[in-house]
Amino acid sequence: MSEWTMSIDWDDLKTVLAIARHGTLSAAARALGTSQPTVGRRLEALEQRLGAKLFDREAIGLRATALGHSLLEGLEQMDSGAAAVQRQVAARDTGLSGEIRVTSLDWLGDEVVAPMLARFGALHPGLEIELVNDTRVYNLARREADLAFRFGAFTQENLIERRIGEAAYALYAAEDYLQRHGRPEPGDGFAGHAVAYLDRAAGEVPHEQWLPPLAHAARTVLRCNGLRAHLAAVRAGAAMAVLPCLLGEREPSLRRVPLAQAMPLRSVRLGFHSDLRDTPRIRALVDYVVAQFAELADELNPAMKEGAEGKRA
């Protein structure tokens, strides 16, 4: 065995794999839960020990060299094997103790998932729960997270997916905005009104894509990458925006703008790897959040309480 082979550890190899997967040092650092300088130093030290480059530096990121590319298949196999071992060990847990890593996104994680996890953690002092709100799709097979809350369907293999709720969306405006501008008229394309939308990088978002054709004469005053910014703009009386009903209805100064269209719905889904099906802490948390979402059903979708039917986005 050569000297440089003996000096390589699994952290070095995980760094190489993360850079290859994500293409930049900063993205690899986020995936590894560390800093960009740390990833850069680790890669540089490894390349010095090998006496060869694993990546070429390009304007848009890093591209694997022939040597780096030749290592990737083996590294993927090692990573899959390590993840399988981790899942098997986790599945043998016999008590409600240890760590649970959960991923969610945007308002759902902040307003709904976080309070649930905090209450569950308070009931079970032996648990340490970590919540990461991120638009990135975490790989549950690689144990990047144990549980994931999403609006879209899960596509990875060997996952258990449950639809646990329906989140309704509607157009909201502040009371003082409506007093100044009046209620929007769909017939004139919301002329004289101001609207906030998600940024263009979000693409066509199901809960929002119905509004632009309806409000074609309205002025777009803000585009941003999160619904909390929309909420702030609407609360300030500067614009109307599509918001989750759970957020909009909790704001005393906001009013739901009545429209002929039914409120669009997005299904909230919970997923976890099948290897963790019988892990006590995972099973207990899944059962808990399912019950909690059932209690929140009317807030997530007011149409259920009002006797109206929503239109699923």
Side-chain angles (χ1 to χ4, degrees):
M1 182 178 294
S2 65
E3 181 180 351
W4 64 262
T5 302
M6 295 177 62
S7 68
I8 298 177
D9 61 25
W10 179 227
D11 285 337
D12 292 330
L13 299 178
K14 285 195 296 185
T15 298
V16 173
L17 187 56
I19 295 171
R21 283 172 173 165
H22 300 285
T24 66
L25 296 179
S26 58
R30 287 193 296 270
L32 294 169
T34 186
S35 66
Q36 178 177 337
T38 297
V39 172
R41 286 195 299 268
R42 187 171 289 163
L43 174 61
E44 183 178 359
L46 177 57
E47 289 180 329
Q48 287 178 352
R49 290 199 301 272
L50 294 176
K53 291 291 185 183
L54 296 176
F55 295 93
D56 289 323
R57 278 67 174 172
E58 299 181 341
I60 60 173
L62 285 80
R63 180 173 56 86
T65 62
L67 174 60
H69 193 269
S70 70
L71 300 177
L72 294 183
E73 182 177 355
L75 292 179
E76 291 283 4
Q77 292 175 353
M78 292 175 66
D79 187 58
S80 296
V85 170
Q86 288 180 319
R87 292 195 304 270
Q88 290 170 5
V89 171
R92 290 178 61 84
D93 289 346
T94 58
L96 294 180
S97 62
E99 298 179 356
I100 304 177
R101 193 166 199 240
V102 181
T103 176
S104 185
L105 69 166
D106 201 32
W107 69 271
L108 181 68
D110 290 337
E111 296 291 335
V112 180
V113 176
M116 291 181 184
L117 297 183
R119 289 192 292 266
F120 185 76
L123 293 172
H124 304 287
L127 289 175
E128 182 175 333
I129 304 175
E130 177 184 359
L131 172 63
V132 179
N133 272 345
D134 198 336
T135 56
R136 182 170 75 87
V137 177
Y138 282 68
N139 191 314
L140 302 181
R142 293 200 298 263
R143 289 299 305 279
E144 291 181 348
D146 298 305
L147 295 174
F149 292 86
R150 296 177 189 165
F151 291 115
F154 291 80
T155 59
Q156 298 165 15
E157 296 181 354
N158 300 319
L159 299 186
I160 296 174
E161 175 185 329
R162 294 186 64 172
R163 194 170 71 189
I164 58 176
E166 299 283 352
Y169 293 75
L171 183 65
Y172 284 88
E175 178 64 34
D176 67 328
Y177 174 94
L178 294 175
Q179 290 176 358
R180 284 183 284 114
H181 297 278
R183 295 195 178 274
E185 295 294 337
D188 63 8
F190 290 15
H193 285 276
V195 182
Y197 290 111
L198 287 171
D199 63 350
R200 292 183 176 87
E204 290 191 353
V205 183
H207 67 259
E208 191 180 76
Q209 63 185 9
W210 58 273
L211 182 59
L214 193 67
H216 58 85
R219 187 162 58 95
T220 300
V221 298
L222 178 69
R223 289 188 180 272
C224 48
N225 64 351
L227 290 180
R228 286 192 165 281
H230 284 183
L231 176 60
V234 175
R235 191 192 290 128
M240 301 183 296
V242 176
L243 297 172
C245 290
L246 182 137
L247 294 185
E249 301 295 320
R250 287 180 175 179
E251 292 284 334
S253 65
L254 301 192
R255 301 291 179 264
R256 198 191 317 166
V257 178
L259 298 171
Q261 287 77 5
M263 290 183 292
L265 298 178
R266 300 196 73 181
S267 295
V268 181
R269 294 176 169 89
L270 171 66
F272 57 97
H273 199 280
S274 59
D275 286 353
L276 301 179
R277 181 200 307 264
D278 298 320
T279 304
R281 65 175 184 269
I282 302 298
R283 184 73 267 161
L285 180 54
V286 169
D287 291 343
Y288 182 83
V289 299
V290 168
Q292 292 280 295
F293 266 88
E295 292 183 10
L296 274 179
D298 288 346
E299 277 197 90
L300 285 168
N301 181 12
M304 295 178 61
K305 185 175 182 179
E306 296 165 3
E309 292 187 359
K311 177 183 177 182
R312 178 166 302 137

